Amino acid sequence: MVRTRLCPSPTRTTSPKPWTISELSTEHMSAPTGPSASPLKPSTSTPAIILCGIFGVKYLSHLMLTCMMNWISLNMLPILTQKTIKFDFCRHHRRWVAEKLGADATSKELEFTKKILSLDAKNYHAWSHRQWVLQALGGWEDELDYCRQLLEDDIFNNSAWNQRYFVVTRSPLLGGLEAMRESEVNYTVEAIIANPENESPWRYLRGLYKGDTQSLVNDPQISSVCLKVLSTKSNHVFALSTLLDLICHGFQPSQEFKNAIDALKTPDSDPPDSGLAKAVCSILEHVDPMRVNYWTWRKSKLPAQAA
Amino acid sequence: MEELKAEKHVQYILSIEKKKDNFESVVMEHLRMNGAYWGLTTLDILEKLETVDPDEIVSWVMKCQHESGGFGGNIGHDPHILYTLSAVQILALFDRINVLDIKSDISGLQNEDGFFSGDMWGEVDTRFSYIAICCLSLLHRWDKINVEKAVNYIVICKNLDGGFGCTPGGESHIFCCVGALSIMGSLRHIDKDLLWWWLCERQVKSGGLNGRPENLPGVCYSWWVLSSLIMIDRVHWIDKEKLVQFILDCQDKENGGISDRLNDAVDVFHTYFGVTGKLQLDFHLLDYPGLKSIDPAYALPVDVV
């Protein structure tokens, strides 16, 4: 069974074995048999002599040769790694090579993951590699826009929402979560109104207020989007659960909310003097029967002021 | 409701164990250790482990061990933590952990910041944290690692939805982090409000469970998500009957085996998770102790753990 020989990780401690040009040209094109490839460290001796002969150059520095080997490796890897992104050792080897090449590899690596994501927009390993590239090598400038493009293609792509949060919270160019909150809330509210049954933007919205629940409760845009969705009387499970959470954290619903909830009540609803939160739980028991036990539990745990 | 075709699944597993030269076996050669664990654990929980030769299997497992102490996916394959756990789990099934002499060290794969690498080349992933912790727990070698740092690394992988990524900022997957925290007695670190809801939202209209929002449901999540719900004692928050039906619909009733979803090809991975998921649900639906129960954190029969 052919086993692919690849570049080593810097942590390898055993002595290097000569890596010939013929090995380079054939081994990388073989399919890996698993996360078992034994890496080799290129020696300067054998390939240097061959290259010297080919180019008629007497001297090649070790650094130039290593960079050349790594460049060849990085360019041959896509053929392998696009098809085998699931193989741990391929990804890790690619990172090792990219690290050696530094910032020069940034656009290439981002382009590489973009190609994979164009075929499979939720490929976990491609997203994982892309996040590594951004943090290790940079290239944040266009990432928010890239997330926007992917979400235009598929607003339900949870991976793209996750990446958006990653960029907003970690990019050194954007100022952090609080600085981005207003614009991101606007963006997310639009997405919710277009598809209120989409789980991801509802969670994203809460994430924008991570660690600051009071601001979530006090932001009129949050309660307002709940009310807008409730008024449509369809696809309102997430709007109801968000309203429930707001009430549990101290939100005081206006008469408009009470009217909207009344319009959704079922014939066998709770008594009219029951609190709004209880009514919301009852509606959820009815419209989300798969999770009826969860909503019953939420009803039993309502804080005193909400009940 | 139809039945689990236990006998058919046993025959399916025994048949693939014998086929070492067909295409499927060849392309999966490198992860035969995982396949063996999935197949043998299924046989054990269906109370058919006596149909295989333990000496032959243990002998093969030990041939996959390297000097470092780690195990490869098959004979001649390099060691990796993914296969080391399966090897330890197989030995535990046969009550042969005493043959192990792990000189080095899963604990050696823990880094300064508490995370674990998969092998000597250094890739980091919370899957590897779970695997290392599970393995060391089975071997009663807790003293070898820094548990506090291991917990802290998992906690920094917590996401806005209450789930955990494979690395900080990675999209939420749940089982490995919840499993690791459970084994380490550290479930207090989960964000209950968010995670509980996130997990029960994994059930879709068909009754199956998905692994991420808007992804297709799959039988394997009958294990990953279901076990997570069991570990946090919230399995009653999903519709168990519908999930059972989803699993049973994915059986190949003629030839045995279970697939990821309806009409897909069967494989030993989904057979294992389908059978274990179904039996877990029987236990919680019917309070039926009948067949063996599986430990949701260790993914081994309770009597083995």
Side-chain angles (χ1 to χ4, degrees), chain A residues 49-60:
Chain A
I49 291 167
I50 295 169
L51 282 166
C52 282
I54 291 169
F55 295 107
V57 175
K58 283 193 176 177
Y59 302 109
L60 277 175

Side-chain angles (χ1 to χ4, degrees), chain A residues 1 3 8-9 11-13 33-39 87-89 91-92 95 122-125 127-128 131 135 156-159 161-162 165-166 170 197-200 202-204 206-207 210 237-238 241-242 245 288-295 297, chain B residues 26-27 29-31 76-80 82-83 119-125 127-128 156 158-161 164-173 193-194 196-207 212-215 234 236-240 242:
Chain A
M1 179 70 67
R3 292 171 60 186
S9 153
T11 57
R12 185 179 171 92
T13 54
T33 56
S36 58
S38 297
F87 286 106
D88 295 341
F89 79 105
R91 293 196 301 277
H92 193 59
R95 286 180 196 186
K122 300 180 186 181
N123 187 302
Y124 195 93
H125 306 288
W127 279 117
S128 178
Q131 288 187 346
Q135 291 188 112
F156 292 89
N157 184 342
N158 190 67
S159 304
W161 281 103
N162 182 77
Y165 195 77
F166 179 82
R170 292 166 195 257
E197 74 281 22
N198 188 351
E199 184 181 345
S200 301
W202 288 101
R203 293 192 191 275
Y204 188 82
R206 287 165 204 248
K210 192 174 177 180
V237 170
F238 293 119
S241 65
T242 302
D245 288 340
D288 191 18
M290 202 166 269
R291 280 160 278 274
V292 62
N293 290 340
Y294 172 70
W295 298 119
W297 177 82
Chain B
V26 166
V27 296
E29 193 213 77
H30 61 289
L31 46 75
H77 287 246
D78 289 348
H80 195 280
L82 290 166
Y83 311 116
D119 59 10
M120 61 190 290
W121 309 119
E123 188 186 6
V124 174
D125 193 313
R127 289 179 298 158
F128 305 151
I156 67 170
K158 209 190 302 184
N159 285 328
L160 64 95
D161 50 21
F164 298 86
C166 289
T167 48
E171 193 181 358
S172 290
H173 272 50
D193 289 340
L194 286 175
W196 288 348
W197 179 42
W198 190 93
L199 279 169
C200 66
E201 280 291 336
R202 291 312 103 231
Q203 190 166 34
V204 298
K205 280 202 183 102
S206 63
R212 295 181 270 168
E214 296 297 326
N215 274 23
R234 292 290 179 272
H236 53 285
W237 282 353
I238 58 167
D239 188 326
K240 296 190 281 293
K242 284 197 93 168

Side-chain angles (χ1 to χ4, degrees), chain B residues 15-228:
Chain B
S15 73
I16 55 170
E17 194 274 331
K18 289 176 175 52
K19 290 177 196 167
K20 293 186 175 66
D21 297 325
N22 69 350
F23 177 74
E24 193 183 306
S25 300
V26 166
V27 296
M28 305 296 273
E29 193 213 77
H30 61 289
L31 46 75
R32 195 167 175 86
M33 190 65 73
N34 297 142
Y37 155 69
W38 297 321
L40 292 168
T41 312
T42 309
L43 291 177
D44 189 27
I45 56 173
L46 294 176
E47 297 180 326
K48 296 288 183 190
L49 194 60
E50 76 278 0
T51 53
V52 297
D53 180 350
D55 292 331
E56 186 187 338
I57 291 170
V58 169
S59 168
W60 167 76
V61 167
M62 296 312 295
K63 283 179 188 161
C64 298
Q65 190 177 28
H66 289 251
E67 266 196 33
S68 64
F71 287 79
N74 209 329
I75 296 170
H77 287 246
D78 289 348
H80 195 280
I81 205 172
L82 290 166
Y83 311 116
T84 303
L85 175 61
S86 290
V88 170
Q89 286 169 317
I90 292 169
L91 293 172
L93 283 176
F94 292 115
D95 198 15
R96 303 276 188 104
I97 285 201
N98 55 340
V99 310
L100 270 180
D101 175 24
I102 293 196
K103 303 181 206 47
S104 165
D105 245 329
I106 294 167
S107 61
L109 296 172
Q110 185 177 30
N111 295 267
E112 277 293 314
D113 293 335
F115 54 81
F116 285 85
S117 304
D119 59 10
M120 61 190 290
W121 309 119
E123 188 186 6
V124 174
D125 193 313
T126 47
R127 289 179 298 158
F128 305 151
S129 297
Y130 164 73
I131 288 169
I133 286 154
C134 183
C135 215
L136 288 167
S137 180
L138 289 169
L139 296 169
H140 305 290
R141 304 282 280 267
W142 273 112
D143 54 313
K144 294 283 202 168
I145 60 165
N146 188 321
V147 172
E148 189 183 341
K149 284 192 171 182
V151 169
N152 290 343
Y153 180 70
I154 291 173
V155 171
I156 67 170
C157 294
K158 209 190 302 184
N159 285 328
L160 64 95
D161 50 21
F164 298 86
C166 289
T167 48
E171 193 181 358
S172 290
H173 272 50
I174 302 298
F175 173 79
C176 287
C177 292
V178 174
L181 291 175
S182 175
I183 293 172
M184 291 189 288
S186 298
L187 281 175
R188 66 186 178 282
H189 291 285
I190 65 170
D191 190 327
K192 293 195 188 78
D193 289 340
L194 286 175
L195 183 61
W196 288 348
W197 179 42
W198 190 93
L199 279 169
C200 66
E201 280 291 336
R202 291 312 103 231
Q203 190 166 34
V204 298
K205 280 202 183 102
S206 63
L209 303 173
N210 64 21
R212 295 181 270 168
E214 296 297 326
N215 274 23
L216 291 173
V219 159
C220 56
Y221 294 108
S222 311
W223 173 261
W224 306 124
V225 173
L226 184 68
S227 298
S228 302

